[in-house]
């Protein structure tokens, strides 16, 4: 039943998103759909799915539900990489820029992991706070670098995720998310085992470090892809996996599609709401989502451990 | 048989294990006792191939746990660590089924399903199979993790202080279960215990560790003597006899 409702909501959102905009679909409808409305809808779904998947992988990798990529310094590190490319090699191909962003995201993630291994585990709130500070430091460096090089505008675009600029030819990199989602599904059991902790995972014969490394490479690529094409969306990686975990548990073999679907749905909903509230003007989807996401985050911090429904 | 030779394990400048030599025959329950910091848990992790030693060797039958592939090792020896991750929202059956992972690596067979069912039944979890681990009581949760380790179906099963946080009823129940299961299946269990009487009551042999070394290794009755225990724990004990079994009382 819940799944039917979920599918219906998603279908409704897609229809609204395709029909919504300043121009009417009555004239040149097919062209408009192909060039603008479909790319925008697909971008929101793919970005949301990618961020949600990145979130659950980080959470399993460090065995902490309260972290997500934006609480690990990863987007800030990717921004630093993009700033460097813009300064040093502005003529680099999009693929090259994407690669640099992913590599610097990975370096940022490695720094976070080094911190995480030194943070005591007794209090799960400690790690997200450490990650927040680490990200803020990297972000400050990025701001400083952008200020001195007159690139503040770029930083502003990356920092605030939104979809108004998405058009055919400018979002297609996000389809890589779909490929990575398939790859993650293939290793879903291994990612679940990561969540049991290093000793348990190794006792089950899993190469813990190699598997975690693979997971975090995927997270870095996902984060960089979304950041570079549509900007940063805090909370998505936190909210979608946690809602699914409370609803359906932690078995990723069963739940990864749901996590990706919920992430996509939530981001698309945020985009649709942002386009409806002040029509014909728009509120960035990341801003809309932050209001909702912050609320859910507070609820997650305070809610009692969920009871199961057997 | 497990053979440990001159095993040394170091953290920084501190020697946690100082040349441990130990031979454990197959079958039955071996209890590992000793004061805090004696190196019991470290030895267990080393036997399982999870702590790479500074020197020395470990053989489980012919298997070298440090050289073997992860899956080969995990089909020979299973370790349950002291405090398993408690917040898992896996269902009990899903958790226990992960014990089969070294065998199927993602391709579950009907034999895997059968073994999971047997493990659930062996640890009285069949009725709880659909519950999330997070919602179980401490005793049930510990049983679920042990059932996962059992489902790994290894000749050797290593348990690090499984009685922690269990009340007397659940502790007794667990030891009785392990005793019966190891008799029925011929599988060998090595278990770190702080409760000397649990070791006295249920184990076939006891290894007493002190200060990074094996201090004594013998059958339960032979090892549990006041002088040996006093030397291991640096505290006086009386050993009484009750229904043919030694009972240890701190003086």
């Amino acid at each position: 039943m819940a799944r039917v409702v979920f599918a219906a909501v998603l279908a409704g959102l897609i229809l609204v998103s395709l029909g919504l905009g300043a121009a009417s679909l009555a004239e040149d409808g097919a062209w408009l759909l192909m060039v603008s409305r479909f790319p925008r809808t697909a971008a929101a779904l793919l970005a949301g799915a990618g961020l949600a998947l990145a979130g659950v992988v980080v959470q399993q990798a460090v065995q902490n539900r309260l972290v997500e990529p934006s609480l690990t310094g990863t987007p800030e590190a990717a921004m630093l990489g993009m700033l460097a490319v813009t300064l040093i090699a502005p003529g680099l191909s999009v693929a090259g820029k994407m690669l640099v962003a992913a590599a610097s995201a990975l370096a940022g993630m490695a720094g976070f992991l080094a911190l995480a291994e030194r943070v005591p585990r007794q209090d799960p709130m400690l790690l997200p706070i450490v990650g927040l500070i680490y990200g803020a430091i990297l972000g400050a460096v990025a701001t400083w670098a952008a200020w001195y090089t007159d690139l503040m505008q770029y930083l502003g675009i990356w920092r605030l995720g939104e979809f108004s600029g998405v058009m055919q030819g400018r979002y297609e990199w996000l389809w890589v998310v779909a490929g990575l989602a398939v790859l993650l599904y293939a290793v879903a059991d291994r990612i679940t085992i990561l969540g049991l902790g290093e000793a348990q995972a190794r006792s089950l014969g899993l190469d813990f470090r190699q598997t975690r490394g693979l997971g975090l490479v995927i997270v870095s690529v996902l984060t960089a892809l979304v950041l570079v094409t549509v900007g940063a969306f805090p909370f998505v990686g936190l909210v979608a996996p946690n809602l699914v975990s409370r609803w359906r548990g932690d078995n990723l073999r069963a739940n990864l599609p749901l996590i990706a679907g919920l992430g996509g749905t939530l981001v698309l909903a945020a985009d649709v709401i942002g386009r409806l509230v002040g029509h014909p003007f728009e509120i960035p989807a990341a801003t809309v989502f932050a209001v909702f996401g912050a609320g859910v985050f507070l609820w997650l911090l305070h809610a009692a451990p969920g009871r199961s429904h057997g | 048989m497990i053979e440990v030779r001159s095993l040394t394990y170091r953290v920084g400048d501190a020697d946690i294990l100082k040349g441990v030599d130990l031979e454990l025959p197959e079958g039955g329950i071996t209890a590992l006792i000793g004061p805090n910091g004696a190196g019991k848990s470290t030895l267990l992790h080393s036997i399982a191939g999870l702590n790479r030693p500074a020197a020395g060797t470990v053989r489980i039958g012919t298997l070298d746990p440090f050289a073997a592939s992860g899956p080969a090792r995990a089909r020979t020896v299973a370790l349950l660590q002291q405090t398993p991750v408690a917040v898992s929202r896996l269902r009990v059956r899903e958790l226990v089924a992960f014990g089969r992972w070294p065998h199927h690596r993602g391709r579950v067979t009907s034999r895997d399903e059968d073994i999971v069912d047997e493990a659930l039944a062996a640890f009285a979890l069949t009725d709880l199979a659909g519950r999330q681990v997070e919602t179980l009581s401490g005793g049930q949760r510990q049983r679920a993790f042990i059932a996962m380790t059992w489902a790994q179906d290894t000749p050797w099963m290593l348990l690090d202080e499984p009685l922690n946080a269990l009340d007397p009823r659940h502790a007794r129940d667990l030891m009785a279960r392990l005793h019966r299961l190891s008799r029925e299946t011929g599988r060998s269990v090595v278990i770190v215990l702080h409760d000397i009487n649990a070791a006295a009551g249920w184990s076939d042999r006891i290894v007493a560790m002190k200060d990074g070394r094996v201090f004594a290794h013998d059958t339960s009755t032979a090892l549990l003597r006041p002088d040996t225990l006093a030397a291991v724990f640096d505290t006086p004990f009386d050993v009484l006899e009750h229904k043919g079994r030694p009972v240890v009382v701190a003086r």
Side-chain angles (χ1 to χ4, degrees), chain A residues 63 65 189-190 192-193 195-197 199-200 202-206 242 245-246 248-251 305-308 310, chain B residues 49-50 70-71 73-74 78-81 85 87-90 94-95 98-99 101-102 105-106 130 132 134-135 148 152:
Chain A
Q63 296 101 48
R65 285 180 203 293
D189 282 344
R190 290 162 202 246
T192 309
I193 293 174
L196 296 174
Q200 200 57 65
R202 291 179 60 207
S203 178
L204 288 172
L206 186 77
N242 271 289
S245 169
R246 273 171 183 275
R248 296 278 304 268
D250 278 342
N251 190 2
R307 308 302 295 183
S308 82
Chain B
L50 303 186
R73 169 170 55 73
L79 171 91
L80 181 66
Q81 59 176 329
V85 176
V87 292
S88 178
R89 291 205 187 105
L90 290 172
E94 293 169 341
L95 179 78
F98 273 113
W101 197 76
R105 304 280 286 183
Q132 285 184 1
E134 186 185 55
T135 67
M148 170 176 74
Q152 212 170 320

Side-chain angles (χ1 to χ4, degrees), chain A residues 59-291:
Chain A
Q59 286 158 20
Q60 297 288 312
V62 298
Q63 296 101 48
N64 188 320
R65 285 180 203 293
L66 299 178
V67 295
E68 63 137 355
S70 73
L71 292 172
T72 63
T74 312
E76 288 82 2
M79 286 180 210
L80 277 170
M82 288 299 286
L83 280 176
V85 165
T86 312
L87 283 172
I88 298 162
L92 201 64
S93 67
V94 180
K97 285 180 180 169
M98 209 59 102
L99 212 60
V100 172
S104 45
L106 188 60
M109 176 61 86
F112 171 75
L113 205 59
L115 284 173
E117 291 192 336
R118 287 168 179 78
V119 173
R121 289 179 164 271
Q122 289 86 341
D123 183 355
M125 306 269 267
L126 213 50
L127 189 57
I129 293 171
V130 168
L132 196 70
I133 296 169
Y134 172 65
I137 294 171
L138 291 181
V141 174
T143 305
W144 175 81
W147 181 264
Y148 267 85
T149 53
D150 236 0
L151 292 174
M152 285 300 283
Q153 254 191 336
Y154 283 81
L155 214 57
I157 291 169
W158 296 326
R159 274 192 174 145
L160 193 60
E162 53 108 21
F163 299 97
S164 65
V166 171
M167 283 172 61
Q168 191 182 34
R170 291 179 58 180
Y171 84 104
E172 280 75 4
W173 276 95
L174 280 177
W175 285 102
V176 176
V177 170
L180 290 173
V182 173
L183 176 61
L184 272 179
Y185 192 72
V187 297
D189 282 344
R190 290 162 202 246
I191 306 286
T192 309
I193 293 174
L194 282 185
L196 296 174
E198 178 164 1
Q200 200 57 65
R202 291 179 60 207
S203 178
L204 288 172
L206 186 77
D207 189 328
F208 181 82
R209 286 180 182 263
Q210 189 192 321
T211 308
R212 186 177 63 178
L214 170 72
L216 295 182
V217 167
I218 295 176
V219 169
S220 303
V221 175
L222 287 170
T223 308
L225 278 170
V226 174
L227 184 86
V228 173
T229 44
V230 292
F233 290 84
F235 294 117
V236 179
L238 198 67
V239 167
N242 271 289
L243 290 178
V244 171
S245 169
R246 273 171 183 275
W247 175 29
R248 296 278 304 268
D250 278 342
N251 190 2
L252 297 185
R253 169 72 58 201
N255 295 344
L256 269 187
L258 213 54
I259 292 169
L262 184 63
T265 306
L266 289 173
V267 170
L268 182 61
D271 186 46
V272 167
I273 291 168
R275 286 147 80 185
L276 282 173
V277 169
H279 189 77
F281 302 106
E282 295 193 5
I283 301 172
T287 308
V288 175
F289 193 86
V291 175

Side-chain angles (χ1 to χ4, degrees), chain B:
Chain B
M1 186 164 85
I2 288 180
E3 282 181 84
V4 178
R5 293 270 170 268
S6 331
L7 195 73
T8 303
Y9 181 76
R10 211 165 274 149
V11 176
D13 290 337
D15 283 358
I16 311 292
L17 297 178
K18 302 170 183 170
V20 171
D21 286 296
L22 184 63
E23 283 182 18
L24 296 176
E26 267 160 43
I29 295 182
T30 304
L32 220 51
I33 64 169
N36 294 328
K40 309 179 292 291
S41 182
T42 308
L43 177 61
L44 214 62
H45 279 72
S46 290
I47 293 174
L50 303 186
N51 277 350
R52 189 165 285 279
T57 58
V58 176
R59 289 286 180 281
I60 307 170
T62 56
L63 180 118
D64 175 352
F66 303 107
S69 73
R73 169 170 55 73
R75 288 191 294 264
T76 304
V77 57
L79 171 91
L80 181 66
Q81 59 176 329
Q82 206 173 97
T83 41
V85 176
V87 292
S88 178
R89 291 205 187 105
L90 290 172
R91 295 182 194 288
V92 171
R93 193 172 204 290
E94 293 169 341
L95 179 78
V96 174
F98 273 113
R100 298 303 301 158
W101 197 76
H103 298 269
H104 63 62
R105 304 280 286 183
R107 290 166 211 274
V108 182
T109 66
S110 62
R111 186 177 135 75
D112 293 313
E113 302 282 0
D114 291 345
I115 291 175
V116 171
D117 287 333
E118 285 163 27
L120 287 169
F123 289 90
L125 293 164
T126 308
D127 292 341
L128 300 173
R131 286 268 296 276
Q132 285 184 1
V133 175
E134 186 185 55
T135 67
L136 302 178
S137 72
Q140 294 167 335
R141 197 178 290 177
Q142 186 66 282
R143 282 216 307 279
F145 276 95
I146 293 174
M148 170 176 74
T149 312
W150 184 260
Q152 212 170 320
D153 197 20
T154 49
W156 289 89
M157 178 155 134
L158 316 179
L159 304 175
D160 196 359
E161 293 191 34
L163 304 189
N164 262 6
L166 294 193
D167 62 31
R169 179 190 141 206
H170 285 104
R172 188 210 165 273
D173 174 75
L174 181 60
M175 290 309 294
R177 238 175 247 286
L178 289 171
H179 185 79
R180 179 170 55 74
L181 287 168
S182 79
R183 291 271 176 301
E184 285 172 6
T185 60
R187 290 166 61 179
S188 320
V189 180
V190 183
I191 180 167
V192 174
L193 291 173
H194 268 301
D195 178 352
I196 305 173
N197 286 318
W202 300 105
S203 65
D204 298 288
R205 65 197 81 83
I206 296 181
V207 175
M209 290 190 70
K210 184 183 185 183
D211 197 21
R213 292 187 178 87
V214 172
F215 186 88
H217 175 197
D218 214 326
T219 60
S220 303
T221 340
L223 188 136
L224 294 174
R225 291 154 40 102
D227 51 342
T228 313
L229 288 169
V232 171
F233 289 97
D234 290 322
T235 189
F237 287 95
D238 287 324
V239 180
L240 317 174
E241 199 188 292
H242 177 67
K243 296 186 178 168
R245 294 198 309 208
V247 174
V248 178
V249 187
R251 200 182 290 159

